[in-house]
Amino acid sequence: MEWYHIRGGIPLRGEYSVKGAKNAALPVLAASVCRSGVHEICGCPRIGDVRWMTEILEVLGARCQWEEDRLMVDSRRLDSAQVPRELMAKMRSSVFLMGSLLMRTGEAEIWRPGGCRIGKRPVDIHIDGLRCLGFEVREEEEKIVCRGTCRGGRYVLPYPSVGATENLMMAALSGDSLTVLENCAMEPEIADLQGFLRTLGYSVAGAGGRTILVEGAGRSDCSTGRDTMYFIMEDRIEAATYLMALAGTGGKGVLSGIRSIYLTSVLEVLEQMGCRIRSFEDRIALEAPRRLQSPGCVVTAPYPGFPTDCQPQLLTLAACAEGRTRIREEIFESRFSHKKELAKMGANIETSGKNAIIKGITSLLGAEVCAQDLRGGAALVLAGLMAEGTTAVTGIEHIERGYETLEQGLRELGGNIEKHDERKTKETEKPAAEAGGSSSDRRGVSGVSVFPDVSDHEL
Ligand code: EPZ
């Protein structure tokens, strides 16, 4: 088991360079299947989800190879249009391959992507859209089998789903007429996918707005292949996470390689909490107050609203902000899962349905906490950086799905955070009684530390 060992209470200082966006890299890698060729994806983050996606691409017949931060995808050969079950289960974002496989081969067979900790994650809009555009979609108990070619026309998404928008953009390329997609999601990563599709030689326009136009290009094969190079956009959610780490620790720093236009709603909330923010072309400087103020009420919404992927981190900041904060999670049905872990650190959070009420306390206390999902796990790391004493965060495999070396990045900002691996740490168990017992409530349920180097006096 691996865990982060964090000593909190240190104001972060310094500069961090933002990495490539997970939520741009995944659809772009799926789209590399649309057209045969050798595609050089630059600025690709080396994260868990990208590793899973490359594994799936290789099972389908493509070849992937890293060269520094450039991922070369050779999609000239494709042997299969069936995404393997065990890999689908590892990463639901492989649902994007429906669209790209339909473009390339006219068929796609995926296992129904299950829900996850944050919600049921249905794909009914993906399926409804494909059927509306002329594809045959057969839903079996656990599989979704698609066949056909886009007949063009118009489809209005009932909800601006990011993944459905991206899947339909790629599937619509397969026909030979115009497709108009309306009520699309407007997340910047969708415009990044459009940029890659254009690099592949396709005519797609309007991404980033509500209506996207796709000119059908017909099936691609090796004879019409094209080699490409594409730079993935920066990860605005990673940037927001680091800005919140600076804000929560009373720190001061600069993020480089991030355009503030992608974070307007997040920067507004951080300014309401008392942070001083200055933006330049692709740099954001933040100086935090000694103690944050409550931002009042924050509601998550599709872009350009406050991003759901930053809600768990905001919940952590609110736990120590002066005053009472209300957060309403409108996108996913169970995205307050790390509330229980924050309670072990002393946070005062009540949740009911979509709403969370947070009464700010002066300081969290270090404890042993467990990450249950990607952004909730990042929020626990922020809590450890803010807390008095020492915190151990387990379940870091969830965090490493979406953050490349989070502990290294935070150390660059002066954070005291180390990654430990029990295979390398000698085992010593210290029952709570021996350790004075006083910290058992702070150590979570067991009271017995499973982290030999997190001794009682540190908590
Ligand atoms: C993308 O997920 C992101 N993932 C998510 O990031 C992000 O939270 C989400 O968009 C919203 O911004 C990637 O881009 C890889 P949706 P996606 O389809 O496409 C419902 C992270 O932490 N819905 O916009 O799955 C759905 O249940 C991850 O980086 C349907 O009902 O999101 C949800 O309530 C988490 N039917 C809402 O729409 C559908 O067919 C938003 O989902 C599709 C979605």
PDB file of all heavy atoms in Angstrom, residues 2-6 367 369 377-378 380-381 390-397 399-400 403-408 410-411 416-420 451 454:
ATOM      1  N   GLU A   2       0.471   2.254  -0.733  1.00  0.00           N
ATOM      2  CA  GLU A   2       1.211   3.532  -0.732  1.00  0.00           C
ATOM      3  C   GLU A   2       0.355   4.616  -0.080  1.00  0.00           C
ATOM      4  O   GLU A   2      -0.878   4.533  -0.123  1.00  0.00           O
ATOM      5  CB  GLU A   2       1.514   3.940  -2.172  1.00  0.00           C
ATOM      6  CG  GLU A   2       2.467   2.988  -2.902  1.00  0.00           C
ATOM      7  CD  GLU A   2       2.742   3.455  -4.316  1.00  0.00           C
ATOM      8  OE1 GLU A   2       1.785   3.859  -4.998  1.00  0.00           O
ATOM      9  OE2 GLU A   2       3.910   3.437  -4.725  1.00  0.00           O
ATOM     10  N   TRP A   3       1.005   5.560   0.529  1.00  0.00           N
ATOM     11  CA  TRP A   3       0.262   6.656   1.123  1.00  0.00           C
ATOM     12  C   TRP A   3       1.095   7.943   1.105  1.00  0.00           C
ATOM     13  O   TRP A   3       2.304   7.889   0.947  1.00  0.00           O
ATOM     14  CB  TRP A   3      -0.193   6.323   2.549  1.00  0.00           C
ATOM     15  CG  TRP A   3       0.882   6.322   3.585  1.00  0.00           C
ATOM     16  CD1 TRP A   3       1.294   7.367   4.355  1.00  0.00           C
ATOM     17  CD2 TRP A   3       1.697   5.194   3.966  1.00  0.00           C
ATOM     18  NE1 TRP A   3       2.324   6.984   5.181  1.00  0.00           N
ATOM     19  CE2 TRP A   3       2.579   5.652   4.983  1.00  0.00           C
ATOM     20  CE3 TRP A   3       1.765   3.860   3.576  1.00  0.00           C
ATOM     21  CZ2 TRP A   3       3.500   4.807   5.580  1.00  0.00           C
ATOM     22  CZ3 TRP A   3       2.685   3.022   4.171  1.00  0.00           C
ATOM     23  CH2 TRP A   3       3.553   3.499   5.159  1.00  0.00           C
ATOM     24  N   TYR A   4       0.408   9.080   1.233  1.00  0.00           N
ATOM     25  CA  TYR A   4       1.076  10.364   1.379  1.00  0.00           C
ATOM     26  C   TYR A   4       1.200  10.670   2.865  1.00  0.00           C
ATOM     27  O   TYR A   4       0.231  10.533   3.617  1.00  0.00           O
ATOM     28  CB  TYR A   4       0.273  11.495   0.724  1.00  0.00           C
ATOM     29  CG  TYR A   4       0.244  11.463  -0.782  1.00  0.00           C
ATOM     30  CD1 TYR A   4      -0.903  11.838  -1.472  1.00  0.00           C
ATOM     31  CD2 TYR A   4       1.354  11.079  -1.539  1.00  0.00           C
ATOM     32  CE1 TYR A   4      -0.957  11.819  -2.857  1.00  0.00           C
ATOM     33  CE2 TYR A   4       1.306  11.049  -2.933  1.00  0.00           C
ATOM     34  CZ  TYR A   4       0.161  11.420  -3.579  1.00  0.00           C
ATOM     35  OH  TYR A   4       0.112  11.396  -4.936  1.00  0.00           O
ATOM     36  N   HIS A   5       2.387  11.075   3.268  1.00  0.00           N
ATOM     37  CA  HIS A   5       2.643  11.496   4.655  1.00  0.00           C
ATOM     38  C   HIS A   5       2.821  13.012   4.594  1.00  0.00           C
ATOM     39  O   HIS A   5       3.735  13.491   3.920  1.00  0.00           O
ATOM     40  CB  HIS A   5       3.916  10.785   5.131  1.00  0.00           C
ATOM     41  CG  HIS A   5       4.348  11.137   6.502  1.00  0.00           C
ATOM     42  ND1 HIS A   5       5.029  12.308   6.795  1.00  0.00           N
ATOM     43  CD2 HIS A   5       4.205  10.476   7.679  1.00  0.00           C
ATOM     44  CE1 HIS A   5       5.293  12.345   8.081  1.00  0.00           C
ATOM     45  NE2 HIS A   5       4.808  11.256   8.637  1.00  0.00           N
ATOM     46  N   ILE A   6       1.932  13.746   5.256  1.00  0.00           N
ATOM     47  CA  ILE A   6       1.909  15.218   5.114  1.00  0.00           C
ATOM     48  C   ILE A   6       2.064  15.875   6.475  1.00  0.00           C
ATOM     49  O   ILE A   6       1.353  15.511   7.421  1.00  0.00           O
ATOM     50  CB  ILE A   6       0.567  15.673   4.485  1.00  0.00           C
ATOM     51  CG1 ILE A   6       0.331  14.964   3.153  1.00  0.00           C
ATOM     52  CG2 ILE A   6       0.537  17.197   4.290  1.00  0.00           C
ATOM     53  CD1 ILE A   6      -1.079  15.122   2.599  1.00  0.00           C
ATOM     54  N   ALA A 367      -4.776  13.562  10.728  1.00  0.00           N
ATOM     55  CA  ALA A 367      -5.364  12.242  11.027  1.00  0.00           C
ATOM     56  C   ALA A 367      -4.991  11.273   9.907  1.00  0.00           C
ATOM     57  O   ALA A 367      -4.341  11.658   8.938  1.00  0.00           O
ATOM     58  CB  ALA A 367      -6.887  12.360  11.120  1.00  0.00           C
ATOM     59  N   VAL A 369      -6.496   9.402   6.906  1.00  0.00           N
ATOM     60  CA  VAL A 369      -7.711   9.490   6.078  1.00  0.00           C
ATOM     61  C   VAL A 369      -7.499   8.703   4.792  1.00  0.00           C
ATOM     62  O   VAL A 369      -6.356   8.417   4.408  1.00  0.00           O
ATOM     63  CB  VAL A 369      -8.053  10.965   5.773  1.00  0.00           C
ATOM     64  CG1 VAL A 369      -8.517  11.687   7.027  1.00  0.00           C
ATOM     65  CG2 VAL A 369      -6.880  11.680   5.119  1.00  0.00           C
ATOM     66  N   GLY A 377      -9.895  12.791  -3.139  1.00  0.00           N
ATOM     67  CA  GLY A 377      -8.567  12.471  -2.616  1.00  0.00           C
ATOM     68  C   GLY A 377      -7.657  13.683  -2.635  1.00  0.00           C
ATOM     69  O   GLY A 377      -6.943  13.966  -1.667  1.00  0.00           O
ATOM     70  N   ALA A 378      -7.738  14.457  -3.722  1.00  0.00           N
ATOM     71  CA  ALA A 378      -6.931  15.691  -3.800  1.00  0.00           C
ATOM     72  C   ALA A 378      -7.353  16.644  -2.687  1.00  0.00           C
ATOM     73  O   ALA A 378      -6.520  17.318  -2.061  1.00  0.00           O
ATOM     74  CB  ALA A 378      -7.117  16.338  -5.168  1.00  0.00           C
ATOM     75  N   LEU A 380      -8.388  15.827   0.216  1.00  0.00           N
ATOM     76  CA  LEU A 380      -7.824  15.361   1.502  1.00  0.00           C
ATOM     77  C   LEU A 380      -6.352  15.755   1.612  1.00  0.00           C
ATOM     78  O   LEU A 380      -5.860  16.072   2.698  1.00  0.00           O
ATOM     79  CB  LEU A 380      -7.989  13.848   1.641  1.00  0.00           C
ATOM     80  CG  LEU A 380      -9.422  13.350   1.791  1.00  0.00           C
ATOM     81  CD1 LEU A 380      -9.466  11.827   1.819  1.00  0.00           C
ATOM     82  CD2 LEU A 380     -10.088  13.927   3.046  1.00  0.00           C
ATOM     83  N   VAL A 381      -5.656  15.773   0.489  1.00  0.00           N
ATOM     84  CA  VAL A 381      -4.254  16.228   0.509  1.00  0.00           C
ATOM     85  C   VAL A 381      -4.213  17.703   0.901  1.00  0.00           C
ATOM     86  O   VAL A 381      -3.412  18.113   1.750  1.00  0.00           O
ATOM     87  CB  VAL A 381      -3.582  16.011  -0.870  1.00  0.00           C
ATOM     88  CG1 VAL A 381      -2.202  16.666  -0.927  1.00  0.00           C
ATOM     89  CG2 VAL A 381      -3.482  14.517  -1.182  1.00  0.00           C
ATOM     90  N   THR A 390       0.315  15.999  11.665  1.00  0.00           N
ATOM     91  CA  THR A 390       0.651  15.112  10.543  1.00  0.00           C
ATOM     92  C   THR A 390      -0.563  14.343  10.068  1.00  0.00           C
ATOM     93  O   THR A 390      -1.373  13.892  10.880  1.00  0.00           O
ATOM     94  CB  THR A 390       1.723  14.111  11.036  1.00  0.00           C
ATOM     95  OG1 THR A 390       2.835  14.879  11.490  1.00  0.00           O
ATOM     96  CG2 THR A 390       2.186  13.219   9.899  1.00  0.00           C
ATOM     97  N   THR A 391      -0.663  14.203   8.775  1.00  0.00           N
ATOM     98  CA  THR A 391      -1.773  13.457   8.157  1.00  0.00           C
ATOM     99  C   THR A 391      -1.220  12.373   7.247  1.00  0.00           C
ATOM    100  O   THR A 391      -0.211  12.592   6.566  1.00  0.00           O
ATOM    101  CB  THR A 391      -2.664  14.422   7.342  1.00  0.00           C
ATOM    102  OG1 THR A 391      -3.234  15.374   8.236  1.00  0.00           O
ATOM    103  CG2 THR A 391      -3.782  13.691   6.610  1.00  0.00           C
ATOM    104  N   ALA A 392      -1.897  11.219   7.260  1.00  0.00           N
ATOM    105  CA  ALA A 392      -1.560  10.155   6.301  1.00  0.00           C
ATOM    106  C   ALA A 392      -2.767   9.967   5.394  1.00  0.00           C
ATOM    107  O   ALA A 392      -3.888   9.791   5.871  1.00  0.00           O
ATOM    108  CB  ALA A 392      -1.241   8.862   7.052  1.00  0.00           C
ATOM    109  N   VAL A 393      -2.546  10.032   4.087  1.00  0.00           N
ATOM    110  CA  VAL A 393      -3.638   9.850   3.115  1.00  0.00           C
ATOM    111  C   VAL A 393      -3.394   8.549   2.357  1.00  0.00           C
ATOM    112  O   VAL A 393      -2.393   8.426   1.631  1.00  0.00           O
ATOM    113  CB  VAL A 393      -3.701  11.018   2.106  1.00  0.00           C
ATOM    114  CG1 VAL A 393      -4.855  10.801   1.110  1.00  0.00           C
ATOM    115  CG2 VAL A 393      -3.867  12.360   2.830  1.00  0.00           C
ATOM    116  N   THR A 394      -4.298   7.570   2.542  1.00  0.00           N
ATOM    117  CA  THR A 394      -4.183   6.315   1.781  1.00  0.00           C
ATOM    118  C   THR A 394      -5.115   6.380   0.573  1.00  0.00           C
ATOM    119  O   THR A 394      -5.823   7.376   0.385  1.00  0.00           O
ATOM    120  CB  THR A 394      -4.613   5.123   2.665  1.00  0.00           C
ATOM    121  OG1 THR A 394      -5.960   5.350   3.077  1.00  0.00           O
ATOM    122  CG2 THR A 394      -3.699   4.971   3.861  1.00  0.00           C
ATOM    123  N   GLY A 395      -5.115   5.311  -0.219  1.00  0.00           N
ATOM    124  CA  GLY A 395      -5.970   5.295  -1.415  1.00  0.00           C
ATOM    125  C   GLY A 395      -5.443   6.232  -2.486  1.00  0.00           C
ATOM    126  O   GLY A 395      -6.197   6.741  -3.324  1.00  0.00           O
ATOM    127  N   ILE A 396      -4.114   6.457  -2.474  1.00  0.00           N
ATOM    128  CA  ILE A 396      -3.599   7.488  -3.394  1.00  0.00           C
ATOM    129  C   ILE A 396      -3.621   7.042  -4.850  1.00  0.00           C
ATOM    130  O   ILE A 396      -3.432   7.858  -5.757  1.00  0.00           O
ATOM    131  CB  ILE A 396      -2.184   7.964  -2.976  1.00  0.00           C
ATOM    132  CG1 ILE A 396      -1.174   6.831  -3.078  1.00  0.00           C
ATOM    133  CG2 ILE A 396      -2.212   8.562  -1.579  1.00  0.00           C
ATOM    134  CD1 ILE A 396       0.249   7.319  -2.832  1.00  0.00           C
ATOM    135  N   GLU A 397      -3.940   5.761  -5.093  1.00  0.00           N
ATOM    136  CA  GLU A 397      -4.056   5.344  -6.484  1.00  0.00           C
ATOM    137  C   GLU A 397      -5.191   6.094  -7.178  1.00  0.00           C
ATOM    138  O   GLU A 397      -5.143   6.379  -8.372  1.00  0.00           O
ATOM    139  CB  GLU A 397      -4.274   3.821  -6.604  1.00  0.00           C
ATOM    140  CG  GLU A 397      -5.560   3.276  -6.015  1.00  0.00           C
ATOM    141  CD  GLU A 397      -5.490   3.090  -4.497  1.00  0.00           C
ATOM    142  OE1 GLU A 397      -4.465   3.465  -3.894  1.00  0.00           O
ATOM    143  OE2 GLU A 397      -6.487   2.584  -3.934  1.00  0.00           O
ATOM    144  N   ILE A 399      -5.907   9.217  -6.585  1.00  0.00           N
ATOM    145  CA  ILE A 399      -5.380  10.568  -6.869  1.00  0.00           C
ATOM    146  C   ILE A 399      -4.448  10.540  -8.076  1.00  0.00           C
ATOM    147  O   ILE A 399      -4.472  11.412  -8.935  1.00  0.00           O
ATOM    148  CB  ILE A 399      -4.636  11.105  -5.628  1.00  0.00           C
ATOM    149  CG1 ILE A 399      -5.583  11.160  -4.414  1.00  0.00           C
ATOM    150  CG2 ILE A 399      -4.040  12.483  -5.905  1.00  0.00           C
ATOM    151  CD1 ILE A 399      -4.894  11.470  -3.090  1.00  0.00           C
ATOM    152  N   GLU A 400      -3.668   9.452  -8.164  1.00  0.00           N
ATOM    153  CA  GLU A 400      -2.652   9.397  -9.232  1.00  0.00           C
ATOM    154  C   GLU A 400      -3.274   9.074 -10.585  1.00  0.00           C
ATOM    155  O   GLU A 400      -2.606   9.073 -11.603  1.00  0.00           O
ATOM    156  CB  GLU A 400      -1.562   8.403  -8.836  1.00  0.00           C
ATOM    157  CG  GLU A 400      -0.805   8.904  -7.605  1.00  0.00           C
ATOM    158  CD  GLU A 400       0.362   8.037  -7.212  1.00  0.00           C
ATOM    159  OE1 GLU A 400       0.372   6.835  -7.552  1.00  0.00           O
ATOM    160  OE2 GLU A 400       1.291   8.566  -6.574  1.00  0.00           O
ATOM    161  N   TYR A 403      -3.590  13.151 -11.313  1.00  0.00           N
ATOM    162  CA  TYR A 403      -2.546  14.140 -11.015  1.00  0.00           C
ATOM    163  C   TYR A 403      -1.189  13.480 -11.218  1.00  0.00           C
ATOM    164  O   TYR A 403      -0.910  12.436 -10.623  1.00  0.00           O
ATOM    165  CB  TYR A 403      -2.656  14.633  -9.561  1.00  0.00           C
ATOM    166  CG  TYR A 403      -3.896  15.469  -9.288  1.00  0.00           C
ATOM    167  CD1 TYR A 403      -5.059  14.871  -8.805  1.00  0.00           C
ATOM    168  CD2 TYR A 403      -3.917  16.833  -9.523  1.00  0.00           C
ATOM    169  CE1 TYR A 403      -6.205  15.623  -8.559  1.00  0.00           C
ATOM    170  CE2 TYR A 403      -5.063  17.592  -9.280  1.00  0.00           C
ATOM    171  CZ  TYR A 403      -6.199  16.976  -8.798  1.00  0.00           C
ATOM    172  OH  TYR A 403      -7.338  17.709  -8.559  1.00  0.00           O
ATOM    173  N   GLU A 404      -0.349  14.145 -12.034  1.00  0.00           N
ATOM    174  CA  GLU A 404       0.993  13.615 -12.251  1.00  0.00           C
ATOM    175  C   GLU A 404       1.888  14.094 -11.096  1.00  0.00           C
ATOM    176  O   GLU A 404       2.095  15.288 -10.913  1.00  0.00           O
ATOM    177  CB  GLU A 404       1.528  14.146 -13.587  1.00  0.00           C
ATOM    178  CG  GLU A 404       2.802  13.505 -14.036  1.00  0.00           C
ATOM    179  CD  GLU A 404       3.251  14.036 -15.404  1.00  0.00           C
ATOM    180  OE1 GLU A 404       2.401  14.443 -16.213  1.00  0.00           O
ATOM    181  OE2 GLU A 404       4.466  14.079 -15.624  1.00  0.00           O
ATOM    182  N   THR A 405       2.341  13.168 -10.275  1.00  0.00           N
ATOM    183  CA  THR A 405       3.275  13.456  -9.148  1.00  0.00           C
ATOM    184  C   THR A 405       2.803  14.649  -8.317  1.00  0.00           C
ATOM    185  O   THR A 405       3.508  15.653  -8.179  1.00  0.00           O
ATOM    186  CB  THR A 405       4.697  13.770  -9.703  1.00  0.00           C
ATOM    187  OG1 THR A 405       4.604  14.941 -10.528  1.00  0.00           O
ATOM    188  CG2 THR A 405       5.231  12.601 -10.486  1.00  0.00           C
ATOM    189  N   LEU A 406       1.611  14.544  -7.769  1.00  0.00           N
ATOM    190  CA  LEU A 406       1.058  15.626  -6.940  1.00  0.00           C
ATOM    191  C   LEU A 406       2.009  15.962  -5.802  1.00  0.00           C
ATOM    192  O   LEU A 406       2.252  17.140  -5.500  1.00  0.00           O
ATOM    193  CB  LEU A 406      -0.299  15.204  -6.390  1.00  0.00           C
ATOM    194  CG  LEU A 406      -1.030  16.227  -5.512  1.00  0.00           C
ATOM    195  CD1 LEU A 406      -1.353  17.512  -6.281  1.00  0.00           C
ATOM    196  CD2 LEU A 406      -2.319  15.620  -4.957  1.00  0.00           C
ATOM    197  N   GLU A 407       2.594  14.919  -5.185  1.00  0.00           N
ATOM    198  CA  GLU A 407       3.444  15.211  -4.013  1.00  0.00           C
ATOM    199  C   GLU A 407       4.680  16.001  -4.443  1.00  0.00           C
ATOM    200  O   GLU A 407       5.127  16.919  -3.738  1.00  0.00           O
ATOM    201  CB  GLU A 407       3.828  13.906  -3.296  1.00  0.00           C
ATOM    202  CG  GLU A 407       4.932  13.077  -3.887  1.00  0.00           C
ATOM    203  CD  GLU A 407       4.503  12.242  -5.090  1.00  0.00           C
ATOM    204  OE1 GLU A 407       3.331  12.322  -5.481  1.00  0.00           O
ATOM    205  OE2 GLU A 407       5.360  11.533  -5.632  1.00  0.00           O
ATOM    206  N   GLN A 408       5.195  15.717  -5.623  1.00  0.00           N
ATOM    207  CA  GLN A 408       6.397  16.444  -6.106  1.00  0.00           C
ATOM    208  C   GLN A 408       6.030  17.897  -6.396  1.00  0.00           C
ATOM    209  O   GLN A 408       6.746  18.827  -6.007  1.00  0.00           O
ATOM    210  CB  GLN A 408       6.894  15.748  -7.371  1.00  0.00           C
ATOM    211  CG  GLN A 408       8.258  16.225  -7.861  1.00  0.00           C
ATOM    212  CD  GLN A 408       8.659  15.445  -9.112  1.00  0.00           C
ATOM    213  OE1 GLN A 408       8.382  14.246  -9.214  1.00  0.00           O
ATOM    214  NE2 GLN A 408       9.285  16.126 -10.047  1.00  0.00           N
ATOM    215  N   LEU A 410       3.638  19.681  -5.079  1.00  0.00           N
ATOM    216  CA  LEU A 410       3.397  20.425  -3.833  1.00  0.00           C
ATOM    217  C   LEU A 410       4.713  20.672  -3.074  1.00  0.00           C
ATOM    218  O   LEU A 410       4.882  21.696  -2.413  1.00  0.00           O
ATOM    219  CB  LEU A 410       2.395  19.669  -2.963  1.00  0.00           C
ATOM    220  CG  LEU A 410       0.971  19.623  -3.528  1.00  0.00           C
ATOM    221  CD1 LEU A 410       0.103  18.627  -2.775  1.00  0.00           C
ATOM    222  CD2 LEU A 410       0.330  21.013  -3.528  1.00  0.00           C
ATOM    223  N   ARG A 411       5.655  19.739  -3.219  1.00  0.00           N
ATOM    224  CA  ARG A 411       6.961  19.965  -2.582  1.00  0.00           C
ATOM    225  C   ARG A 411       7.668  21.130  -3.247  1.00  0.00           C
ATOM    226  O   ARG A 411       8.336  21.932  -2.580  1.00  0.00           O
ATOM    227  CB  ARG A 411       7.834  18.695  -2.670  1.00  0.00           C
ATOM    228  CG  ARG A 411       7.638  17.725  -1.513  1.00  0.00           C
ATOM    229  CD  ARG A 411       8.872  16.844  -1.309  1.00  0.00           C
ATOM    230  NE  ARG A 411       9.213  16.104  -2.531  1.00  0.00           N
ATOM    231  CZ  ARG A 411       8.643  14.946  -2.884  1.00  0.00           C
ATOM    232  NH1 ARG A 411       7.676  14.453  -2.129  1.00  0.00           N
ATOM    233  NH2 ARG A 411       8.998  14.305  -3.972  1.00  0.00           N
ATOM    234  N   ASN A 416       5.319  19.993   2.868  1.00  0.00           N
ATOM    235  CA  ASN A 416       6.036  18.863   3.473  1.00  0.00           C
ATOM    236  C   ASN A 416       5.195  17.611   3.232  1.00  0.00           C
ATOM    237  O   ASN A 416       4.306  17.271   4.040  1.00  0.00           O
ATOM    238  CB  ASN A 416       6.216  19.116   4.975  1.00  0.00           C
ATOM    239  CG  ASN A 416       7.064  18.032   5.622  1.00  0.00           C
ATOM    240  OD1 ASN A 416       6.988  16.865   5.208  1.00  0.00           O
ATOM    241  ND2 ASN A 416       7.851  18.398   6.624  1.00  0.00           N
ATOM    242  N   ILE A 417       5.401  16.979   2.077  1.00  0.00           N
ATOM    243  CA  ILE A 417       4.599  15.812   1.690  1.00  0.00           C
ATOM    244  C   ILE A 417       5.502  14.769   1.047  1.00  0.00           C
ATOM    245  O   ILE A 417       6.321  15.098   0.193  1.00  0.00           O
ATOM    246  CB  ILE A 417       3.450  16.206   0.726  1.00  0.00           C
ATOM    247  CG1 ILE A 417       2.701  14.968   0.200  1.00  0.00           C
ATOM    248  CG2 ILE A 417       3.925  17.099  -0.378  1.00  0.00           C
ATOM    249  CD1 ILE A 417       1.438  15.285  -0.591  1.00  0.00           C
ATOM    250  N   GLU A 418       5.402  13.542   1.555  1.00  0.00           N
ATOM    251  CA  GLU A 418       6.233  12.440   1.037  1.00  0.00           C
ATOM    252  C   GLU A 418       5.323  11.278   0.674  1.00  0.00           C
ATOM    253  O   GLU A 418       4.307  11.048   1.346  1.00  0.00           O
ATOM    254  CB  GLU A 418       7.204  11.963   2.129  1.00  0.00           C
ATOM    255  CG  GLU A 418       8.221  13.003   2.603  1.00  0.00           C
ATOM    256  CD  GLU A 418       9.259  13.321   1.533  1.00  0.00           C
ATOM    257  OE1 GLU A 418       9.465  12.443   0.648  1.00  0.00           O
ATOM    258  OE2 GLU A 418       9.822  14.435   1.560  1.00  0.00           O
ATOM    259  N   LYS A 419       5.708  10.555  -0.363  1.00  0.00           N
ATOM    260  CA  LYS A 419       4.972   9.337  -0.703  1.00  0.00           C
ATOM    261  C   LYS A 419       5.692   8.159  -0.061  1.00  0.00           C
ATOM    262  O   LYS A 419       6.920   8.029  -0.193  1.00  0.00           O
ATOM    263  CB  LYS A 419       4.906   9.138  -2.210  1.00  0.00           C
ATOM    264  CG  LYS A 419       4.104   7.887  -2.599  1.00  0.00           C
ATOM    265  CD  LYS A 419       3.528   8.001  -3.971  1.00  0.00           C
ATOM    266  CE  LYS A 419       4.360   7.311  -5.022  1.00  0.00           C
ATOM    267  NZ  LYS A 419       3.656   7.205  -6.329  1.00  0.00           N
ATOM    268  N   HIS A 420       4.925   7.364   0.684  1.00  0.00           N
ATOM    269  CA  HIS A 420       5.519   6.192   1.346  1.00  0.00           C
ATOM    270  C   HIS A 420       4.914   4.940   0.755  1.00  0.00           C
ATOM    271  O   HIS A 420       3.803   4.932   0.256  1.00  0.00           O
ATOM    272  CB  HIS A 420       5.233   6.239   2.866  1.00  0.00           C
ATOM    273  CG  HIS A 420       6.037   7.277   3.574  1.00  0.00           C
ATOM    274  ND1 HIS A 420       7.022   6.997   4.472  1.00  0.00           N
ATOM    275  CD2 HIS A 420       5.993   8.639   3.472  1.00  0.00           C
ATOM    276  CE1 HIS A 420       7.565   8.112   4.916  1.00  0.00           C
ATOM    277  NE2 HIS A 420       6.948   9.129   4.337  1.00  0.00           N
ATOM    278  N   PHE A 451       0.551   3.432  10.065  1.00  0.00           N
ATOM    279  CA  PHE A 451       1.680   4.100   9.396  1.00  0.00           C
ATOM    280  C   PHE A 451       2.785   4.272  10.421  1.00  0.00           C
ATOM    281  O   PHE A 451       2.768   5.211  11.206  1.00  0.00           O
ATOM    282  CB  PHE A 451       1.234   5.452   8.826  1.00  0.00           C
ATOM    283  CG  PHE A 451       0.075   5.272   7.908  1.00  0.00           C
ATOM    284  CD1 PHE A 451      -1.224   5.504   8.333  1.00  0.00           C
ATOM    285  CD2 PHE A 451       0.264   4.767   6.633  1.00  0.00           C
ATOM    286  CE1 PHE A 451      -2.296   5.281   7.494  1.00  0.00           C
ATOM    287  CE2 PHE A 451      -0.804   4.543   5.790  1.00  0.00           C
ATOM    288  CZ  PHE A 451      -2.095   4.797   6.213  1.00  0.00           C
ATOM    289  N   VAL A 454       4.089   7.554  11.513  1.00  0.00           N
ATOM    290  CA  VAL A 454       3.221   8.653  11.969  1.00  0.00           C
ATOM    291  C   VAL A 454       2.990   8.426  13.450  1.00  0.00           C
ATOM    292  O   VAL A 454       2.009   7.863  13.880  1.00  0.00           O
ATOM    293  CB  VAL A 454       1.862   8.624  11.213  1.00  0.00           C
ATOM    294  CG1 VAL A 454       0.989   9.800  11.701  1.00  0.00           C
ATOM    295  CG2 VAL A 454       2.101   8.714   9.736  1.00  0.00           C
TER     296      VAL A 454
END
